[in-house]
Amino acid sequence: MEATAAPNLFADAPRKAGTTGDVVIETRNLSKTYRDFWGRQKVRALKSLDLEVRRGEIFGLLGPNGSGKSTTIKLILGLLFPTTGDALVFGKRASDVAKNELIGYLPEESYLYKFLNAEETLDFYGRLFNMSSAVRKQRVGELIHMMGLDWAKRRQLKEYSKGMTRRIGLAQALINDPDLIVLDEPTTGLDPLGSREMKDLILRLRDQGKTVLMCSHLLADVQDVCDRIAILHQGELKELGRVDSLLKLQNLTQIRAEGLSKECEDELKAVIERHHGKLVSMENPTTTLEELFLNIVADSDKRPGWRSPQNNP
Amino acid sequence: MPIEFEVVPYLQWLPHALLNFGIAVAVLLALGTFFSWLAAAVRLGPSEAFYLIARIMLDALPDIFKTSPRRVWALTRLSVQESIRRRVLVVFLVFVAIMLFAGWYLDTGSDDPARLYISFVLNTTNYLMLLLAFVLSAFSLPTDIKNRTMYTITTKPVRAFEIVLGRYLGFAIVGTALIVGMGAVSYGFVTRGLAHTHQMDGKLAPIPSPFPNQPPLGERGTTTLDKHHRHEFTLNNEGLGRTDMQMGHFHEVTKNGDQIVIGPPQGMLEARVPLAGQLSFLDRAGRSAASGINVGNEWTYRSYIEGDTLQAAIWTFDGVTPEKFPDGLPVEMTIRVFRSYKGDIEQGIGGTLQLINPDPGARVRRSEKIFFTAQEFVVYQRLIPRKVKALDQYNKAIVDAQGNPVEVDIFEDLVSDGRVLLELKCADPAQYFGVAERDVYFHAADNSFAMNFIKGYFDLWLQMMIAIGFGTMFSTFLNGPVAMLASIACLVVGFVAQFIFDLAAGTLEGGGPIESTIRLVTQKNLSVDLELGQTPEAVIRGFDGGLMQAMRAFANLLPNYRWFDTVRYVAYGMDIERSAVMQHATLAAAYCVVVLIVGYFFLKTREIAA
Ligand SMILES: Nc1ncnc2c1ncn2[C@@H]1O[C@H](COP(=O)(O)OP(=O)(O)OP(=O)(O)O)[C@@H](O)[C@H]1O
Ligand SMILES: [Mg+2]
């Protein structure tokens, strides 16, 4: 893709259909073993991961520290080479540079050049997408404004606070108006307000038809925004599915209604009793992603290598 | 002396060089592919590895041809900004400071201050720039990888080649700016540092005519002592004249009424264009020989002739025309003297020069002998005038009808078809002259010194560009300090490549690496036998031979920075031939291209996040 790509970079118009249909990211039997200099095994960070991320969804990778989330992302981006298996993005191999035209990536920490200021930074990354200077100028202005950093755009990044750097990192990931946005722990370092904004932004991007792959150990974030999640633990996939169906407890029914009369409630209780059910409560359910997550981790510690069978996508 | 080898014309050199280049690249490619495959096969198995390598190779061409100038420029700018942030400009200040201090301690009474000044500034620039080139280029990519700023770059549609090229160009721009600045400062330093004038010291004295009752021929005088020297000068009756040569220069002197005006130094900053000849020898009996005597303990490049025998060194010069040399033939020589006995060390060794007509049937065969005293390490200059006394085929002086010797015109009577021979002999018995082809030449023209200085700096610039290339290449797969050491190692190996060639050619004693190790360990010196038996010794020698061939091949791949070393040309006031400059530029370009492509492969196959 050369400079001709620039004009449609900002269009919200529907994208041309990808060659692989609706699957944006696909990993097949993806494994990664970190080795030391002498080729000795150090860590098996990822064990045969099969994933599909579909167009237009927000996909969350969830897992405790060191479970292989960042490793997965780096494999998908070609920053790491798989030990076995493949990662395909837009149907292209992860090592293919051309795929990067449509990707925006926010690393775990914002690895930016500290001696550049915000404008220079974004301009620099714009150049790497071969964007013309007019397009760059407009885009840089927009993004800085969007991140609320107008007041600091001429300051070198070394003077930036963590949250500010994070915002510039995100702006950098969006410079090419990507189709696929890969976010490694997007909300770390952001204040509650910033974190809320980040989540709104992610949802907005999804509404624009973009695909988002994010990883986090902050369950609330994931629960708020993700359509589907995969839970990793010690490099293994433990759970995969829609957030709503994962959180729906099969043996628990929650009834919420308004304006029921006492008789109606009694009638409902009678119906439940007749069907040998037991009324737990009539209030909000306490099951959250947090509970699910902790269960899975506990379960997996008991039975390592076993993927919980219940929910499949 | 300064120019040791003949420079082949560029177009004649190019095909040969391209062929060598092609072979080197093919070998490199084959070895590179094989070893990469081997490395990959260990992990993936042979066939997987084959597909992987094939894919990388197939990707490479489109990758390199799809290079986008805008992306490269972005990375170039980044490198420049980063270098400036790393305060490289301090190097320039250091250079200026060195120059300021040097102004004091260089100001000695050297025989040839120009040579001292010029080699000082060029060498200082050279070392500083090479060091800077290594530091800049070797640390940058590894820092990028360590700080993980590389993550945000390689996840953009940037090709590995663009990263390597962008980095390279960035440092090249910084280095070029510095070298241009240093060149300007150096030029000013040399010209200002050497500039001086003298005043008249004492009074003018008339030069009496040798004939009685004739007016004096002119006047003579002495200058004041400035910069550790003074001159004597003569003036003709029109009040024009010049001083004698001191420390490689003279001044023009004019008399203006009562005022004596002494001009700026001349002849100090030169770029002399030589007309070189082809050297052959006569042996002691006067028969033609391939070389003179080897006096041992000397570089074989130089050959010796013995004094007071028929032994002679003869140069054949072509293209000798009166248009080129209207005033006669200005001979310049730097010959080596080898004394078999000490003699009077103060007194030089005498020698003779004679022009010889290459046409054996000509009436005029030789000019009369011209005597001179050899001085070592100094360029001896002597003008053979157009009119000389001459000898016929019987070695009899050519005379007119009255029997008085007549002078002949060298171009009419000694040069035939632009060719003339010059014979050099040593006159003192049992003393020797050492000569090489390039030691004696006719001073054919003078080019601009400033231009020559620029050419000298251009060669430094080429060295810097290669150094940056190597630094960048190593930095694609090694960490900073190691990459820097590796580049410096390449430089050193390049420097000692000559030694390695000699070793590989087996001209050095002591055998190859294995044999010398055994000798070291068993403490056997070079003259004793190894005493291991026939077969083991043959095996060892075979191994050593192979090893040394490999070393030779390796050394051949590295740039010999000495090729580019034209500092001595500039310092000795010899013009650097255009052909040489073009060859250097071509070589440097070839190295940089190869090194950048190798860098591309390394970076492309590197796991950035590992
Ligand atoms: N470069 C590396 N070399 C060796 N081991 C590594 C490397 N990077 C990660 N690991 C190991 O791989 C495992 C997975 O790491 P990864 O960074 O993918 O975890 P993560 O899920 O992103 O954790 P976090 O939530 O803390 O970011 C860990 O055990 C880690 O120690
Ligand atoms: Mg992580």
Side-chain angles (χ1 to χ4, degrees):
Chain A
M1 276 223 185
E2 298 300 326
T4 48
N8 70 353
L9 273 178
F10 305 101
D12 277 341
R15 306 277 156 178
K16 55 183 187 296
T19 42
T20 51
D22 271 351
V23 178
V24 174
I25 299 174
E26 187 184 356
T27 69
R28 295 191 213 119
N29 188 26
L30 190 66
S31 311
K32 178 69 194 176
T33 305
Y34 287 103
R35 289 169 193 275
D36 65 4
F37 178 79
W38 306 107
R40 288 179 305 206
Q41 288 195 0
K42 274 206 307 207
V43 189
R44 291 188 63 199
L46 195 63
K47 297 167 199 162
S48 25
L49 177 70
D50 290 299
L51 269 190
E52 273 184 9
V53 177
R54 303 189 190 123
R55 184 173 303 275
E57 71 177 351
I58 303 176
F59 191 95
L61 279 174
L62 200 55
N65 292 131
S67 56
K69 305 183 295 289
S70 300
T71 303
T72 310
I73 284 184
K74 286 173 190 165
L75 284 165
I76 288 169
L77 291 168
L79 288 170
L80 289 173
F81 303 151
T83 309
T84 61
D86 284 311
L88 299 177
V89 185
F90 297 115
K92 296 190 174 105
R93 209 176 284 107
S95 57
D96 187 344
V97 200
K99 73 175 195 310
N100 294 347
E101 295 277 1
L102 300 173
I103 298 183
Y105 168 51
L106 174 68
E108 283 165 284
E109 282 164 45
S110 298
Y111 304 123
L112 303 168
Y113 291 97
K114 298 265 185 284
F115 54 89
L116 298 178
N117 66 34
E119 274 184 331
E120 288 167 339
T121 305
L122 296 184
D123 186 70
F124 168 69
Y125 289 110
R127 279 171 199 267
L128 296 186
F129 281 101
N130 218 349
M131 291 157 69
S132 72
S133 97
V135 176
R136 283 200 313 266
K137 203 157 171 224
Q138 186 208 344
R139 189 74 184 149
V140 169
E142 271 174 27
L143 283 169
I144 288 182
H145 185 69
M146 183 168 143
M147 298 298 150
L149 288 170
D150 283 304
W151 57 282
K153 63 184 178 188
R154 295 274 152 73
R155 283 168 65 181
Q156 290 194 336
L157 297 195
K158 65 176 172 218
E159 299 172 12
Y160 270 34
S161 74
K162 192 170 173 191
M164 287 159 79
T165 322
R166 201 75 191 139
R167 284 165 208 246
I168 285 300
L170 182 66
Q172 161 280 129
L174 297 177
I175 189 85
N176 59 328
D177 194 27
D179 275 3
L180 168 64
I181 300 143
V182 180
L183 306 168
D184 199 337
E185 320 251 351
T187 52
T188 45
L190 293 180
D191 55 29
L193 202 66
S195 168
R196 187 68 254 163
E197 281 169 9
M198 172 69 86
K199 286 185 265 185
D200 288 345
L201 177 74
I202 294 172
L203 291 169
R204 215 158 58 230
L205 290 169
R206 194 254 324 261
D207 294 343
Q208 287 171 16
K210 295 167 202 262
T211 314
V212 179
L213 169 66
M214 58 179 277
C215 78
S216 182
H217 47 237
L218 297 176
L219 304 164
D221 292 355
V222 175
Q223 192 175 3
D224 284 355
V225 299
C226 290
D227 298 322
R228 288 203 305 144
I229 54 169
I231 297 181
L232 291 175
H233 186 230
Q234 293 174 345
E236 283 168 345
L237 182 64
K238 295 294 174 189
E239 190 66 80
L240 177 70
R242 295 197 59 80
V243 176
D244 42 16
S245 68
L246 283 177
L247 294 185
K248 190 159 80 187
L249 299 179
Q250 301 292 345
N251 55 355
L252 193 70
T253 309
Q254 175 189 351
I255 295 168
R256 270 180 100 190
E258 218 173 46
L260 291 187
S261 64
K262 182 82 182 103
E263 296 77 57
C264 182
E265 279 190 4
D266 288 344
E267 205 171 314
L268 280 173
K269 280 176 188 162
V271 170
I272 290 166
E273 246 159 62
R274 205 168 55 238
H275 287 273
H276 310 292
K278 180 169 157 263
L279 185 67
V280 181
S281 79
M282 281 267 193
E283 292 104 36
N284 289 342
T286 50
T287 309
T288 57
L289 187 56
E290 184 170 1
E291 216 159 286
L292 174 72
F293 181 77
L294 293 176
N295 279 341
I296 287 175
V297 171
D299 190 45
S300 141
D301 281 337
K302 267 182 266 156
R303 287 179 294 159
W306 199 252
R307 186 180 153 190
S308 113
Q310 53 192 103
N311 294 296
N312 274 317
Chain B
M1 185 201 243
I3 302 182
E4 280 151 2
F5 296 99
E6 189 183 358
V7 179
V8 185
Y10 182 71
L11 290 177
Q12 208 170 316
W13 171 85
L14 193 60
H16 178 73
L18 281 180
L19 180 72
N20 276 347
F21 178 70
I23 294 173
V25 167
V27 169
L28 205 65
L29 198 68
L31 286 179
T33 316
F34 176 71
F35 282 109
S36 329
W37 174 79
L38 210 62
V42 170
R43 283 202 201 157
L44 306 172
S47 64
E48 271 289 303
F50 174 80
Y51 287 119
L52 182 70
I53 300 291
R55 201 167 64 218
I56 290 169
M57 297 293 232
L58 288 180
D59 280 354
L61 272 187
D63 251 16
I64 288 174
F65 283 105
K66 270 193 206 154
T67 300
S68 137
R70 191 179 277 139
R71 281 196 283 262
V72 173
W73 179 236
L75 292 157
T76 303
R77 274 174 36 135
L78 185 76
S79 308
V80 173
Q81 282 168 312
E82 188 195 84
S83 310
I84 292 171
R85 195 188 55 95
R86 282 167 69 189
R87 313 242 186 285
V88 289
L89 296 181
V90 169
V91 173
F92 184 70
L93 297 181
V94 168
F95 181 77
V96 172
I98 292 177
M99 289 299 126
L100 290 177
F101 280 109
W104 296 338
Y105 67 80
L106 272 187
D107 195 13
T108 52
S110 147
D111 273 349
D112 197 343
R115 193 192 300 170
L116 186 70
Y117 269 63
I118 295 169
S119 39
F120 175 74
V121 292
L122 282 161
N123 284 325
T124 310
T125 311
N126 201 2
Y127 296 137
L128 269 181
M129 286 315 295
L130 283 180
L131 192 68
L132 183 75
F134 288 138
V135 172
L136 270 186
S137 56
F139 282 91
S140 161
L141 273 180
T143 312
D144 249 9
I145 291 174
K146 207 175 74 194
N147 293 345
R148 307 187 182 175
T149 37
M150 203 66 169
Y151 287 15
T152 40
I153 293 192
T154 49
T155 50
K156 304 282 182 280
V158 183
R159 270 89 192 162
F161 189 66
E162 292 165 336
I163 297 177
V164 175
L165 187 63
R167 285 286 172 196
Y168 176 76
L169 290 179
F171 303 134
I173 287 175
V174 173
T176 306
L178 282 175
I179 229 171
V180 166
M182 289 184 186
V185 170
S186 302
Y187 189 77
F189 176 75
V190 168
T191 48
R192 301 270 310 266
L194 295 174
H196 65 278
T197 54
H198 303 268
Q199 302 298 316
M200 242 261 291
D201 196 20
K203 283 223 164 68
L204 288 175
I207 307 170
S209 168
F211 305 104
N213 301 327
Q214 291 290 314
L217 293 176
E219 290 169 299
R220 75 167 106 237
T222 315
T223 68
T224 47
L225 181 76
D226 296 288
K227 298 248 170 192
H228 305 279
H229 68 281
R230 63 168 87 235
H231 301 265
E232 309 265 316
F233 63 88
T234 55
L235 287 170
N236 63 15
N237 285 329
E238 277 92 61
L240 298 177
R242 56 162 61 174
T243 67
D244 56 359
M245 288 290 263
Q246 290 291 337
M247 295 188 166
H249 71 278
F250 64 87
H251 302 262
E252 282 191 340
V253 186
T254 46
K255 187 176 177 189
N256 223 341
D258 274 349
Q259 277 235 293
I260 297 290
V261 182
I262 298 176
Q266 290 189 24
M268 195 151 44
L269 300 176
E270 301 182 288
R272 301 192 301 273
V273 181
L275 178 78
Q278 259 192 336
L279 179 58
S280 57
F281 288 95
L282 296 183
D283 68 10
R284 265 177 228 173
R287 289 175 309 232
S288 129
S291 68
I293 302 167
N294 190 349
V295 292
N297 197 26
E298 269 278 353
W299 197 19
T300 44
Y301 157 79
R302 204 162 256 115
S303 203
Y304 282 78
I305 52 174
E306 190 180 346
D308 203 25
T309 64
L310 287 179
Q311 210 166 26
I314 300 177
W315 281 264
T316 308
F317 291 97
D318 283 306
V320 181
T321 58
E323 291 75 41
K324 244 187 237 166
F325 302 103
D327 303 327
L329 296 174
V331 180
E332 297 194 350
M333 9 184 230
T334 31
I335 50 185
R336 218 36 97 69
V337 175
F338 179 81
R339 293 167 186 263
S340 64
Y341 64 94
K342 212 168 201 158
D344 183 354
I345 205 84
E346 283 294 298
Q347 200 167 356
I349 305 287
T352 60
L353 285 174
Q354 228 175 350
L355 286 178
I356 306 178
N357 194 329
D359 175 9
R363 182 181 65 97
V364 181
R365 296 306 316 283
R366 291 164 172 264
S367 71
E368 276 203 324
K369 281 185 175 161
I370 300 161
F371 291 90
F372 68 93
T373 307
Q375 295 160 284
E376 268 205 290
F377 308 115
V378 182
V379 181
Y380 177 81
Q381 298 172 313
R382 176 79 173 248
L383 181 74
I384 302 179
R386 266 190 87 149
K387 301 277 184 208
V388 291
K389 291 187 183 141
L391 309 171
D392 62 14
Q393 67 263 47
Y394 308 110
N395 260 353
K396 292 263 159 49
I398 295 191
V399 293
D400 63 6
Q402 282 79 43
N404 293 326
V406 290
E407 293 190 327
V408 300
D409 183 283
I410 52 177
F411 290 106
E412 273 165 33
D413 295 312
L414 284 164
V415 177
S416 65
D417 292 336
R419 169 175 288 194
V420 71
L421 312 183
L422 181 70
E423 185 183 83
L424 169 80
K425 281 183 169 172
C426 177
D428 286 353
Q431 307 288 34
Y432 296 80
F433 278 167
V435 288
E437 190 160 272
R438 289 270 156 159
D439 284 353
V440 175
Y441 55 85
F442 295 143
H443 177 174
D446 282 296
N447 279 351
S448 137
F449 170 76
M451 197 58 220
N452 210 33
F453 196 77
I454 292 174
K455 286 189 220 165
Y457 257 84
F458 180 71
D459 271 320
L460 300 189
W461 181 77
L462 292 178
Q463 289 182 49
M464 177 199 78
M465 295 295 275
I466 296 181
I468 293 177
F470 270 84
T472 310
M473 179 195 76
F474 283 120
S475 74
T476 56
F477 63 98
L478 297 173
N479 73 27
V482 182
M484 179 159 150
L485 281 182
S487 338
I488 291 178
C490 279
L491 172 95
V492 172
V493 173
F495 260 124
V496 298
Q498 186 65 45
F499 173 76
I500 294 179
F501 288 154
D502 290 346
L503 202 70
T507 52
L508 289 189
E509 304 280 322
I514 298 178
E515 184 179 335
S516 29
T517 313
I518 294 177
R519 285 188 190 279
L520 266 177
V521 172
T522 57
Q523 301 197 334
K524 289 196 166 103
N525 72 30
L526 302 180
S527 50
V528 294
D529 218 51
L530 275 183
E531 292 170 9
L532 292 172
Q534 288 272 319
T535 326
E537 275 179 37
V539 170
I540 288 171
R541 298 241 153 85
F543 253 113
D544 274 355
L547 264 175
M548 287 195 284
Q549 276 308 320
M551 280 159 75
R552 185 196 170 93
F554 178 63
N556 244 327
L557 286 178
L558 298 176
N560 183 344
Y561 285 73
R562 244 186 246 169
W563 295 329
F564 303 92
D565 183 13
T566 43
V567 170
R568 56 195 197 290
Y569 285 62
V570 186
Y572 277 83
M574 300 299 295
D575 189 53
I576 304 171
E577 284 174 59
R578 178 125 47 93
S579 189
V581 176
M582 282 161 66
Q583 288 179 20
H584 298 167
T586 312
L587 272 171
Y591 270 111
C592 291
V593 168
V594 169
V595 150
L596 292 184
I597 291 179
V598 172
Y600 156 78
F601 279 110
F602 277 122
L603 188 60
K604 167 126 183 141
T605 50
R606 174 161 184 175
E607 233 177 343
I608 300 296

